[in-house]
Amino acid sequence: MTAPIPAHIIKQHLIDPEICIRCNTCEEACPVDAITHDSNNYVVNVDICQSCQACIMPCPTGAIDNWRQVMSDRAYTLEEQFGWNELPDAQEFSEAQAASAATLPASSLASVDGDADGDLDGVASTSAGASIPPWSAAHPYLNLYTHKNPVKATVVGNYRVTDDDTESDIRHIVLDFGDQPFPVLEGQSIAIFPPGVDGAGRPYHARQYSIASPRDGERPSYNNLSLTVKRVTTDYDGKPVLGAASNYLCDLKKNDTVQVIGPFGSTFLMPDHEDANLIMICTGTGSAPMRAMTERCRRRLKTQAFKGRLMLFFGARTERELPYFGPLMSLPKDFIDINLALSRSAATPKRYVQDLIRERAGDVMTLLESSKTCIYVCGLKGMEVGVIDALREVVSQHGKQWADVHEELRTQGRLHFETY
Ligand code: A2P
């Protein structure tokens, strides 16, 4: 029997609940499932975290990059962290305490218990997407405005982009920043604070939305941007629930103001070389970044600065519930190859985006074989597995190994997911 190791100072990894926008990126990035969440907070399990830092870079806000020195036998529990509205103050340690033990990462707790070897070799990230942008992506501005200094934007438009008599109320909301700098790139997101408090009396967290307009503005050379927001009226189980943030945004009127933080996102960015190809795969409001990228290419086409190919797979219940259906269908066929997957249309059999990827296998493979092609997937979480499976089939039908192609796409920053 080994003697117990005396308590010592550890560096505990924590998430700042004030800044966190609950985007789930850290939970997805953690290779050892140390990060979890409840309806209030995202938290780190000190018994599992190995301080590998895989979650640090992908976090859009920096909320993830917080560390506290604590005694190993008094590390913050999950229950404590779930209840926080802000991080606890840093603890003071006497010189003697500090001198008696070196500061160790939190994972040393697990080693004390003998249930982790601390060896990170062979731990692969579970994320299917790349953690770097394509080589030619423009450099993004990040976190110019935080929860401590949000910027006020004015609503200059709020238009429904699905048919009025359908269940899906999806809005195109245009925000103007006036003279305040808010530089963005296609694929980035912002977050908005809904006013008011939740059932427990806490102010609502900021909610994240992808930007639907290109870098030079919804209206070219205006300091504005657009969002695609769906009014949430049910929870995941179909029970009636009014989403606080989405209903607030969908009800905004012209000249209302909103509190914005961001911009966020340093990897889901489009290539800037003129002959790059984009395969865009989305469902519903996941079309926002695809609209931004498509419009960027359309504007560049006018000055012969875009020579690539665009292929879009877009899933919606029906044509009438597909946001931006009219403007999308009026884009020239030789500019963008549009594939609509309708799941509840009376006129056509049920289709998901992954079905259409299979149907267009030959053309998808032609694009995949080019190192100039980047793939973007945005929308429902459930489609992630389906899309990967479809791409695997396409690749293997053409005599290649998905593992090899996938690795190349990831290491070259050419495959990106944003799902929710
Ligand atoms: P479904 O009719 O089965 O719900 P929503 O309107 O809810 O935002 O969904 C957008 C589209 O995504 C709908 O056509 C929906 O089909 C479809 N969808 C739902 N689950 C998946 C999935 N796992 N993979 C791909 N598409 C999906």
Side-chain angles (χ1 to χ4, degrees):
M1 212 172 91
T2 50
I5 296 175
H8 52 282
I9 299 174
I10 59 162
K11 208 167 138 193
Q12 184 172 1
H13 185 195
L14 300 169
I15 298 174
D16 187 338
E18 284 191 289
I19 303 176
C20 174
I21 53 173
R22 282 78 180 165
C23 63
N24 207 51
T25 306
C26 55
E27 197 169 313
E28 282 178 21
C30 179
V32 293
D33 291 333
I35 300 179
T36 180
H37 69 276
D38 69 355
S39 58
N40 193 37
N41 283 339
Y42 275 73
V43 298
V44 185
N45 189 330
V46 70
D47 296 329
I48 301 175
C49 175
Q50 299 179 350
S51 305
C52 71
Q53 316 248 346
C55 56
I56 303 295
M57 221 275 283
C59 170
T61 63
I64 193 80
D65 200 6
N66 280 284
W67 309 84
R68 288 282 188 277
Q69 287 193 338
V70 294
M71 291 307 292
S72 56
D73 58 351
R74 275 188 244 132
Y76 297 109
T77 63
L78 292 184
E79 285 62 39
E80 284 174 290
Q81 296 176 55
F82 282 138
W84 287 345
N85 291 328
E86 56 185 37
L87 283 177
D89 290 336
Q91 295 177 36
E92 299 279 325
F93 289 98
S94 68
E95 276 181 30
Q97 277 176 312
S100 69
T103 296
L104 300 168
S107 55
S108 60
L109 267 193
S111 352
V112 169
D113 296 340
D115 56 3
D117 62 10
D119 178 7
L120 290 177
D121 287 352
V123 175
S125 167
T126 52
S127 164
S131 56
I132 47 172
W135 69 264
S136 62
H139 291 207
Y141 286 90
L142 299 170
N143 296 304
L144 293 179
Y145 302 91
T146 65
H147 75 294
K148 292 219 163 83
N149 72 327
V151 62
K152 202 175 356 177
T154 305
V155 178
V156 291
N158 180 348
Y159 317 96
R160 185 166 167 143
V161 286
T162 44
D163 276 12
D164 282 341
D165 58 346
T166 61
E167 221 182 87
S168 308
D169 182 2
I170 301 182
R171 302 274 164 164
H172 182 68
I173 299 172
V174 186
L175 301 177
D176 192 278
F177 291 88
D179 296 333
Q180 305 157 111
F182 204 93
V184 299
L185 293 174
E186 304 78 15
Q188 284 197 288
S189 57
I190 63 169
I192 295 183
F193 287 102
V197 292
D198 64 16
R202 285 179 290 244
Y204 286 120
H205 309 303
R207 310 300 162 92
Q208 196 183 7
Y209 297 94
S210 285
I211 297 165
S213 48
R215 65 191 73 183
D216 55 338
E218 169 67 18
R219 181 167 173 185
S221 303
Y222 274 63
N223 189 17
N224 61 14
L225 58 77
S226 60
L227 306 174
T228 313
V229 181
K230 182 174 185 180
R231 187 186 294 278
V232 174
T233 53
T234 56
D235 64 12
Y236 280 110
D237 302 324
K239 273 205 304 248
V241 171
L242 286 186
S246 70
N247 280 274
Y248 161 67
L249 287 172
C250 289
D251 288 337
L252 286 169
K253 305 272 176 304
K254 210 169 165 184
N255 296 325
D256 283 347
T257 58
V258 292
Q259 298 288 327
V260 177
I261 59 175
F264 307 119
S266 56
T267 56
F268 195 107
L269 300 175
M270 65 187 293
D272 249 2
H273 50 299
E274 59 179 25
D275 53 353
N277 309 309
L278 307 185
I279 298 179
M280 299 175 281
I281 305 162
C282 63
T283 56
T285 54
S287 55
M290 313 314 180
R291 179 182 184 272
M293 292 183 186
T294 302
E295 185 57 13
R296 166 77 180 160
C297 295
R298 199 187 65 84
R299 289 182 192 175
R300 293 186 87 196
L301 195 63
K302 289 186 185 161
T303 58
Q304 277 83 50
F306 176 71
K307 301 192 168 69
R309 290 183 55 193
L310 300 182
M311 191 170 198
L312 173 70
F313 294 92
F314 194 159
R317 297 173 188 191
T318 62
E319 276 177 6
R320 293 159 64 241
E321 288 171 276
L322 188 137
Y324 309 111
F325 179 72
L328 183 62
M329 298 320 283
S330 63
L331 291 172
K333 303 277 170 290
D334 57 354
F335 165 62
I336 180 167
D337 179 349
I338 299 171
N339 300 270
L340 301 184
L342 304 176
S343 59
R344 305 188 198 180
S345 163
T348 50
K350 174 176 173 153
R351 285 273 195 291
Y352 278 175
V353 283
Q354 48 270 38
D355 301 320
L356 294 190
I357 292 171
R358 287 190 180 90
E359 286 176 23
R360 297 291 311 275
D363 296 306
V364 170
M365 192 63 201
T366 304
L367 284 180
L368 269 180
E369 275 173 330
S370 164
S371 63
K372 293 173 185 155
T373 300
C374 296
I375 307 173
Y376 299 87
V377 183
C378 187
L380 296 173
K381 179 99 203 125
M383 78 167 162
E384 208 171 298
V385 173
V387 166
I388 291 276
D389 285 346
L391 291 175
R392 181 184 293 109
E393 272 178 45
V394 168
V395 165
S396 65
Q397 269 173 27
H398 290 82
K400 292 205 169 175
Q401 293 292 326
W402 168 244
D404 300 338
V405 175
H406 190 191
E407 186 57 11
E408 194 171 287
L409 289 169
R410 274 167 41 84
T411 53
Q412 295 178 358
R414 293 168 44 217
L415 175 63
H416 296 279
F417 290 86
E418 205 142 276
T419 56
Y420 37 83

